[in-house]
Amino acid sequence: MKQVKRMLRMHRIFVTQELKRMMEYKGDFIVGIIGFLLGQFFNLLFLWIIFSQIPNLMGWTLEQILFIYGFSLIPKGLDHLLFDNLWSIGHFTVRKGDFDKYLTRPINTLFHVMVEKLQIDAFGELIMGIALICISVPSVSIEWSVSKVLLTIAVIPFATMIYVGIKTATAAIAFWTKRSGNITYMFYMFNDFAKYPVTIYNNVVRNIITYIIPFAFTAFYPAKYILTGDNPLFNIGMTVLLSIIIMFIGVIVWNKGVKAYESVGS
């Protein structure tokens, strides 16, 4: 319990200092949010053009797809906001030898990397996600219950953990190869498929994003349960189970990588 309290206190200190730093560059923060919102606007415009020609897509209405799309942005936005610093490990931190500083401090290295920085422009994702959910909910006839509300809230951290676990494992490859940013990016490319119903894809893509790189559990399957109430054991239960497994694998790879880490030579 003392260790948990210490980590929470350290997290608060890191967040406070990072917010102070970011407030020195308010323009970057605003531009980042606007840039993201513009990118999402064009994605939504593409969806609108498609649905202006057809009544539904493989049985999914525009409002249902907007709900899934909006839901997908919540765990992704939380990952972006809180854990985006993991990208630096695979891109330059290990290659330049800057990881040495994490080894000299009395804090768990993975925890330190995760909480060291915030990406405030991730609020653009969160704002857009919440807005799309609010817009689509009146049109999708969701049957709300206390259990569904609780499961919806509870599943979001686990969906986020799928992103974090994948990013942790792929970033840690840099401890052996010095760079792994491209590997992380390659894995993350599949998260774009999770913004839409997996039933619109062929079996190969569907199986990849469900069982191999399970980004479908960050959005589609939890959103499907919310929309239909179907099969909570699979749609929610598998999200929880896979997130724990993936995060566990990520931590193991990270710890082995730290032991194998060799700083750069002079």
Side-chain angles (χ1 to χ4, degrees), residues 7 11 15 74-90 110-122 125 156-171 184 188 247 254:
M7 292 177 72
H11 184 261
V15 169
I74 304 299
K76 186 180 179 184
L78 290 173
D79 167 61
H80 186 188
L81 175 68
L82 299 173
F83 309 111
D84 209 57
N85 196 41
L86 283 165
W87 282 94
S88 67
I89 299 298
L110 180 57
F111 174 77
H112 192 179
V113 171
M114 285 181 173
V115 304
E116 186 177 32
K117 292 184 179 180
L118 293 175
Q119 288 291 351
I120 302 297
D121 58 348
E125 285 174 292
I156 290 174
F158 290 101
T160 303
M161 204 177 352
I162 291 175
Y163 280 102
V164 181
I166 290 173
K167 190 157 54 179
T168 299
T170 55
T184 304
Y188 258 58
M247 194 66 223
W254 179 274

Side-chain angles (χ1 to χ4, degrees), residues 40-215:
Q40 297 305 310
F41 169 78
F42 287 111
N43 287 338
L44 295 173
L45 179 62
F46 175 71
L47 273 179
W48 179 81
I49 292 172
I50 291 176
F51 276 90
S52 67
Q53 305 297 320
I54 57 175
N56 63 71
L57 184 61
M58 300 288 288
W60 296 92
T61 66
L62 174 61
E63 291 77 16
Q64 289 174 321
I65 291 180
L66 288 180
F67 181 89
I68 296 169
Y69 194 107
F71 187 89
S72 75
L73 296 177
I74 304 299
K76 186 180 179 184
L78 290 173
D79 167 61
H80 186 188
L81 175 68
L82 299 173
F83 309 111
D84 209 57
N85 196 41
L86 283 165
W87 282 94
S88 67
I89 299 298
H91 280 292
F92 56 83
T93 301
V94 172
R95 179 169 56 87
K96 292 182 177 180
D98 293 341
F99 190 77
D100 292 4
K101 71 175 183 179
Y102 298 107
L103 298 174
T104 62
R105 297 173 181 175
I107 311 174
N108 177 273
T109 55
L110 180 57
F111 174 77
H112 192 179
V113 171
M114 285 181 173
V115 304
E116 186 177 32
K117 292 184 179 180
L118 293 175
Q119 288 291 351
I120 302 297
D121 58 348
F123 279 114
E125 285 174 292
L126 296 172
I127 291 169
M128 177 64 78
I130 293 170
L132 289 176
I133 290 172
C134 292
I135 291 170
S136 58
V137 159
S139 303
V140 293
S141 303
I142 297 175
E143 295 183 6
W144 291 106
S145 64
V146 174
S147 62
K148 181 175 283 189
V149 171
L150 293 176
L151 285 174
T152 299
I153 296 171
V155 79
I156 290 174
F158 290 101
T160 303
M161 204 177 352
I162 291 175
Y163 280 102
V164 181
I166 290 173
K167 190 157 54 179
T168 299
T170 55
I173 294 173
F175 291 124
W176 290 278
T177 64
K178 304 306 179 187
R179 295 187 68 172
S180 65
N182 291 337
I183 298 174
T184 304
Y185 179 74
M186 179 183 69
F187 274 76
Y188 258 58
M189 285 178 62
F190 285 93
N191 86 85
D192 284 337
F193 292 105
K195 297 176 182 177
Y196 308 101
V198 301
T199 53
I200 70 175
Y201 305 121
N202 62 43
N203 287 332
V204 174
V205 174
R206 189 183 310 170
N207 288 328
I208 289 174
I209 63 175
T210 297
Y211 300 110
I212 300 176
I213 310 174
F215 282 123

Side-chain angles (χ1 to χ4, degrees), residues 10 19 169 265:
M10 292 300 299
L19 288 174

